[in-house]
Amino acid sequence: MLLEAARAVFAENGYERATVRSIAARAGVDAAMVNHWFGGKEGLFAQAVLKLPFEPAELVTVLRDGPVEELGSRIVRTFLTRWDGVGGDTFQALIRSIAGHEAASTVLRDFFLQFFTGLLSDLGGDRRELRVALCASQLVGMGLVRYVARFPPMVEAEVDTLVTAVAPTLQRYLTGDID
Amino acid sequence: MLLEAARAVFAENGYERATVRSIAARAGVDAAMVNHWFGGKEGLFAQAVLKLPFEPAELVTVLRDGPVEELGSRIVRTFLTRWDGVGGDTFQALIRSIAGHEAASTVLRDFFLQFFTGLLSDLGGDRRELRVALCASQLVGMGLVRYVARFPPMVEAEVDTLVTAVAPTLQRYLTGDID
DNA sequence: GTCTATACAACGATAGAC
DNA sequence: GTCTATCGTTGTATAGAC
């Protein structure tokens, strides 16, 4: 599948360094087909990476289910599991493309905005915009360090280890004292 | 100054999208001079971005000075102040170039590794490698969201606000319970 | 629909005049 | 040392044969 190959190459190289030729070669099709089917590199990126494999609202519904005190845990575990699994290429491609493609920032920002705003609307509480940004900063940072910059201890750490370590941070950003 | 122009352009565009021509134009010199003086784009990037404006050890010395309970605060404030100020271009160029230039990851990783390892060696405690990576993840994430992805609440937030919100996270990653 | 060949642009780098 | 001109490469996109 061409879209899969595109996600993989964009995930490895980011938007700029990824070439249409290498994506096509990986998928076993001709480079001309990319332009024929998707209207160019831009269109391919939009279809392959900017269409996220899940909706924020759907994820909110899943995570609402459970005790509020363990919300941080469920969030960290959910993201790590998805990023370690099949949805990971999309996230990695997004992160790696932030420098080279404006829309990557926008999609990432909108996703976290909708996701955490949805969660926080249930919880009440003040300073929601800041809380959202704080949560996003820790999750994105964890993703960047684990999947892109590849700090060894973060790469090798088990999901459970990271959940235990990071969950209290999210929990505080969502429901605790931040001023 | 050519190095300043290089930092600015690399900070705005990342390594891949930045062009030698645009850097030279910004500095008011000829593009050929870049190759003549620095041996090419690669050499310019190495001199302008990969040579950090301060040493980790120097920063450790500064931050050691003060009560341990406020170490998280001092760290967050120090980084935000530097990144908001003149040293910011270098950091932003590094972050933005992670996708397009292998050495950017390495320099960033080594910096945080040396910096936090230096701090932790004073504090004792277990699981040092993981603590280092956790601290790095929060700081890098905050930087990415504030300076690159530009989530509005994080961009507009005062330094004091962020220090209050994020310091407890760093404090716990450094000296608290993470398992 | 699919592939071959190619046009077109932009980049990094270099050679050579001054 | 400095600039002009240009080379070679690479990447996107298209035109046209089958």
Side-chain angles (χ1 to χ4, degrees), chain B residues 158-173:
Chain B
E158 301 288 335
V159 170
D160 283 339
T161 307
L162 291 177
V163 169
T164 309
V166 176
T169 299
L170 270 288
Q171 192 72 33
R172 192 173 65 82
Y173 289 160

Side-chain angles (χ1 to χ4, degrees), chain B residues 27-84:
Chain B
V29 304
D30 193 277
M33 295 299 95
V34 171
N35 298 301
H36 196 269
W37 291 332
F38 296 95
K41 185 183 185 179
E42 190 75 16
L44 179 59
F45 186 75
Q47 289 297 319
V49 177
L50 299 181
K51 305 276 187 201
L52 299 182
F54 44 87
E55 289 294 316
E58 157 203 343
L59 214 55
V60 168
T61 311
V62 174
L63 289 169
R64 241 196 297 246
D65 192 29
V68 182
E69 313 83 57
E70 295 167 9
L71 187 55
S73 282
R74 293 201 297 279
I75 292 172
V76 176
R77 183 177 303 280
T78 300
F79 279 98
L80 278 175
T81 306
R82 301 219 178 200
W83 291 345
D84 279 351

